[in-house]
Amino acid sequence: AAKEAGRGRWRSYSHELGDANRRRLSIEQGLRSAIDNGEISLHWQPKLDLQSGKITGAEALMRWHHPELGAISPMEFIPIAEQCGLIDSLDIWALTEACRAGTKELAGLTIAVNVSASQLQFGEYLHHLKQVLRSSGIAPEKLELELTESVLIEDADKAMTVLNDIRSTGVRLALDDFGTGYSSLSYLRRFPFDTLKIDRSFVTELLTKQDARAIVRMIADLAKELGKRTVCEGVESDEQLQLVRAAGCHEIQGYLISPPCPLAAFPHELDAQLRARLLAAAGTP
Ligand code: C2E
Ligand code: MG
Ligand code: MG
Ligand code: MG
C-alpha cells in the first residue's frame, strides 16, 4: 500500500512538473512577441512626499496580459525574461513608454523605471538611455532608475562605471528593495545612489517586530547622514505610516496611498478622505 501511495505521489508530482514546464515554455514563447502584439503595458504607482503631503512621483510597473494565460505577474515573467535574454527589449520598451508619459500625462512628476541588473552588464544601456532622453525630451532629473542590490554584486567595478556614466546624464538612481540583498554598507558610500527604497518586508513587520522598526530607523538615519533620500515601500496602514514618518523617511509608496493603476486612473491628488486620515496620523503638514 505504501508503494502504491508512493507511486501516486510520484505521478502527480511529475504531472505538476509537466504543467510547470509547459507554463514556463508558453511564457518564454509568448514574451518574444508580447511587445509587438501590444500585450505589455505599464501601471503606475504614486509616491507621496511626506513633507509636502503631495504626490510627487510615479513608478512604472510592467503588466502583461497573455492571450491564453491571462494576466501574468512581473514576479513570474521578469525572471524568465532575464534568463532567456529578453529583458533588455522589455526594459527599453518600459523606459521609452515611461519617459513619454513623463512629458505628457505625468508631466511634473518624477518618473521611476525599474531596470534589471543584467541590462547594465552590457555597454548598450547608456546609449539607449541617452537616445530615449533625447527623443522623449524628458528632463533627466525627472527620471529615476530603480536597481536592486544584485547589480552591485555581479561585477562591482563594471557597475560602478556604468552607474557613474548614467548619473552624469542627470538621471537619478535608486536602490530598490534595500536591506534584502548582500551589498556591504561601504557600497552605499561608493556608488552614486540618490535614493534608498526600504524593502516592503521591513514595513510589513513594523508593528509586530521590534527589530524591523530598528532596521527602518537605522536605514533612514544612515541615508540622512550620507545625503540620500529614503522611500518606504508597501505602506498599507495608518499605523505603518506613523512609524515610517517618525523614522524620518522622505516618501512612501503602498496600498495606503494607491495600488499601481493604469495611466487614466492615476491619482494626481489625494482624495479628501485620505488626506484627512494622513493629517490625523501625523498632525503635519
Ligand atoms: P518593485 O520594483 O520592488 O515593485 C514593488 C512591488 O510591490 C510591485 O509589484 C507593487 O505592485 C507591489 N506593491 C506596492 N505597494 C504594495 C503594498 O502596499 N502591498 C503589497 N503587498 N504590495 C505592494 P509588481 O508590480 O508585481 O512588481 C514586482 C517586481 O517586478 C518589481 O518590484 C520589480 O522588481 C519587477 N518589475 C516590474 N516592472 C518592471 C520593469 O519594467 N522592468 C524590470 N526589470 N522589472 C520590473
Ligand atoms: Mg521598483
Ligand atoms: Mg521594491
Ligand atoms: Mg522588488
Side-chain angles (χ1 to χ4, degrees), residues 31 33-45 59-66 70-74 77-78 90-91 93-98 100-101 113-114 260-264:
L31 273 176
S33 52
I35 294 177
D36 290 343
N37 294 346
E39 295 160 14
I40 304 276
S41 62
L42 293 180
H43 276 191
W44 294 90
Q45 188 175 36
E59 177 179 3
L61 291 155
M62 212 183 277
R63 295 293 178 260
W64 180 20
H65 192 91
H66 188 284
I72 301 176
S73 160
F77 74 78
I78 296 282
L90 285 171
D91 275 358
W93 179 87
L95 178 71
T96 310
E97 176 55 22
R100 191 208 58 76
V113 180
N114 292 284
C261 56
L263 205 44

Side-chain angles (χ1 to χ4, degrees), residues 50-271:
L50 287 176
Q51 182 154 27
S52 67
K54 296 208 161 83
I55 286 163
T56 52
E59 177 179 3
L61 291 155
M62 212 183 277
R63 295 293 178 260
W64 180 20
H65 192 91
H66 188 284
E68 281 123 42
L69 301 172
I72 301 176
S73 160
M75 305 276 269
E76 185 173 12
F77 74 78
I78 296 282
I80 296 176
E82 286 174 343
Q83 284 155 27
C84 54
L86 296 168
I87 190 65
D88 298 35
S89 49
L90 285 171
D91 275 358
I92 295 298
W93 179 87
L95 178 71
T96 310
E97 176 55 22
C99 289
R100 191 208 58 76
T103 61
K104 305 256 163 41
E105 296 90 341
L106 301 176
L109 299 178
T110 298
I111 300 299
V113 180
N114 292 284
V115 183
S116 176
S118 65
Q119 277 269 30
L120 301 186
Q121 299 306 313
F122 310 100
E124 292 288 280
Y125 191 75
L126 185 69
H127 168 75
H128 287 304
L129 176 66
K130 284 180 174 164
Q131 204 168 300
V132 174
L133 286 175
R134 222 175 303 123
S135 64
S136 67
I138 193 171
E141 60 278 5
K142 286 288 181 194
L143 178 64
E144 185 162 65
L145 302 179
E146 297 191 1
L147 296 146
T148 59
E149 289 169 75
S150 58
V151 71
L152 310 179
I153 294 157
E154 284 177 25
D155 184 345
D157 291 337
K158 179 83 193 270
M160 174 78 96
T161 309
V162 180
L163 294 179
N164 280 329
D165 286 346
I166 292 175
R167 193 61 193 84
S168 63
T169 65
V171 169
R172 295 176 198 282
L173 295 169
L175 202 44
D176 207 344
D177 305 340
F178 183 70
T180 58
Y182 301 93
S183 66
S184 80
L185 289 176
S186 73
Y187 281 167
L188 280 188
R189 213 160 43 99
R190 288 168 49 213
F191 286 88
F193 288 100
D194 303 279
T195 307
L196 303 180
K197 293 193 76 177
I198 301 176
D199 190 66
R200 175 154 59 86
S201 59
F202 301 116
V203 180
T204 305
E205 297 191 328
L206 218 45
L207 296 164
T208 49
K209 300 259 167 68
Q210 191 62 45
D211 55 357
R213 205 177 300 187
I215 287 171
V216 169
R217 236 186 263 132
M218 187 275 286
I219 296 175
D221 285 347
L222 180 68
K224 219 165 277 166
E225 292 291 327
L226 296 174
K228 299 176 193 299
R229 293 179 65 77
T230 43
V231 179
C232 257
E233 304 183 330
V235 176
E236 297 184 356
S237 70
D238 295 354
E239 292 78 14
Q240 288 171 342
L241 166 68
Q242 235 156 356
L243 289 175
V244 157
R245 193 197 288 265
C249 293
H250 297 99
E251 285 166 78
I252 60 163
Q253 231 182 336
Y255 294 170
L256 176 68
I257 307 302
S258 167
C261 56
L263 205 44
F266 186 83
H268 289 269
E269 310 264 336
L270 295 179
D271 70 59

